[in-house]
Amino acid sequence: MKARVFVMLKNGVLDPQGEAVRHALGALGFDGVQGVRQGKVIELDLAEGTSEETVKEMCEKLLANTVIESYRIEL
Amino acid sequence: MKAAVIVFPGSNCDRDMAVALENAGAEVTMVWHKDAELPAGVDVVGVPGGFSYGDYLRCGAIAANSPVTNALKAHAARGGYVFGVCNGFQVLTEARLLPGALLRNAHLKYICRTVPLTVATTDSAYTSAYEKGATINIPIAHHDGNFTADAETVAMLEGEDRVAFRYGANPNGSTGDIAGILSANRRVLGMMPHPERAAEASQGNTDGKGFFAGLVSAIIPA
């Protein structure tokens, strides 16, 4: 089974890379890009029957730094 | 005084840190990241700068979960001294030995230059050799040194006098110009600037010498 983990900087934490991408889009002539947030997607190939609880534990212990990041799991 | 310096794959400031500690009078052992125990009788553990595990996932994230880091946590929990410089600071925040996190520099650039720092407190072994409010010039070399923490944590650090060093001219966007912080028991310190790169005359700058001198003299009572 596959799981996807989406990791994003928490709202309120400045995302300088997202800001740089927003500026670059503006420079390319794309008007109206009001905000860009950059995150990561982690794909996990897991043994059948792995619980969401276990994936959550992986996120808490390693995949996300919950001081600055939030995460969402898609099984 | 016995010191240990941890070496992760990708550490590159470990030997400089060891030399600075030796010159200050410490007996230094290098410890490989796979070692599950620290050498017996170690007083101070240094976590060096570099790019542990290639900065994969997040700077310091993999190192914070390596075998030696469990021993490091146990050492800190029993009141041992631990300091992390640059990537070492990132490892200590990832290991939750220090609060907050280090984000990408506000202007996205890797910065490598000597910057002025203010000694914000002298109430720690690491800063005891300096005058409070003194300005020292110490090199920085990082891409992810933008210290951040929620408002409550920052207020706690400020209220408990746990900011060790502040930038004179904020180079990376750090909250409150914070360059280095202390744990609640004042024995764990993390800082982005590199005192070990300014610790002997041949390096052209000795402003970081007091960091190691203060640490060694605080642990060996005169």
Side-chain angles (χ1 to χ4, degrees):
Chain A
M1 62 181 277
K2 304 255 188 204
R4 279 181 163 192
V5 175
F6 298 82
V7 181
M8 296 293 293
L9 284 173
K10 284 181 178 170
N11 286 331
V13 175
L14 179 74
D15 175 5
Q17 294 183 97
E19 271 301 287
V21 173
R22 188 176 66 83
H23 280 287
L25 288 171
L28 285 169
F30 293 104
D31 294 330
V33 181
Q34 286 164 2
V36 176
R37 307 280 290 168
Q38 183 182 313
K40 41 189 145 181
V41 180
I42 300 168
E43 289 188 341
L44 303 167
D45 199 351
L46 300 166
E48 282 309 315
T50 305
S51 70
E52 182 163 354
E53 203 48 44
T54 304
V55 180
K56 196 173 167 209
E57 211 180 318
M58 293 177 192
C59 292
E60 294 283 335
K61 284 194 172 164
L62 181 64
L63 301 180
N65 177 349
T66 53
V67 174
I68 45 170
E69 294 170 326
S70 59
Y71 61 86
R72 183 166 58 82
I73 298 164
E74 210 178 80
L75 286 177
Chain B
M1 190 267 263
K2 287 191 175 174
V5 173
I6 295 178
V7 186
F8 296 106
S11 293
N12 62 13
C13 303
D14 44 321
R15 293 195 208 177
D16 300 47
M17 188 179 264
V19 169
L21 283 163
E22 275 166 6
N23 288 345
E27 185 188 315
V28 183
T29 310
M30 307 306 274
V31 180
W32 184 233
H33 69 111
K34 283 188 177 166
D35 293 352
E37 282 178 33
L38 294 166
V42 155
D43 302 296
V44 180
V45 183
V47 188
F51 299 85
S52 58
Y53 302 90
D55 281 350
Y56 293 167
L57 190 63
R58 294 179 306 276
C59 303
I62 312 280
N65 291 289
S66 70
V68 77
T69 308
N70 287 326
L72 184 70
K73 285 179 178 171
H75 173 75
R78 60 174 180 264
Y81 287 82
V82 177
F83 71 100
V85 169
C86 200
N87 186 224
F89 185 11
Q90 295 162 341
V91 173
L92 296 181
T93 58
E94 283 283 346
R96 302 289 198 270
L97 285 171
L98 288 171
L102 285 310
L103 289 172
R104 180 62 35 108
N105 292 343
H107 298 291
L108 299 171
K109 293 199 170 65
Y110 181 93
I111 314 168
C112 185
R113 63 167 188 263
T114 297
V115 299
L117 297 181
T118 305
V119 178
T121 181
T122 52
D123 184 13
S124 81
Y126 309 96
T127 55
S128 58
Y130 297 107
E131 298 283 330
K132 188 176 166 96
T135 298
I136 57 173
N137 292 302
I138 302 288
I140 56 169
H142 60 247
H143 207 165
D144 298 81
N146 180 351
F147 180 79
T148 191
D150 59 39
E152 243 170 69
T153 304
V154 173
M156 176 188 74
L157 290 171
E158 298 284 358
E160 295 177 1
D161 191 29
R162 286 166 56 187
V163 177
F165 299 102
R166 271 183 226 280
Y167 297 109
N170 194 331
N172 55 24
S174 289
T175 303
D177 303 328
I178 291 172
I181 58 171
L182 292 157
S183 61
N185 72 359
R186 317 189 80 75
R187 291 185 175 198
V188 181
L189 171 137
M191 63 192 290
M192 289 311 295
H194 288 271
E196 81 282 6
R197 293 191 188 177
E200 59 175 272
S202 63
Q203 292 171 316
N205 177 359
T206 55
D207 283 8
K209 202 171 176 174
F211 179 91
F212 299 97
L215 177 59
V216 170
S217 67
I219 295 173
I220 312 173

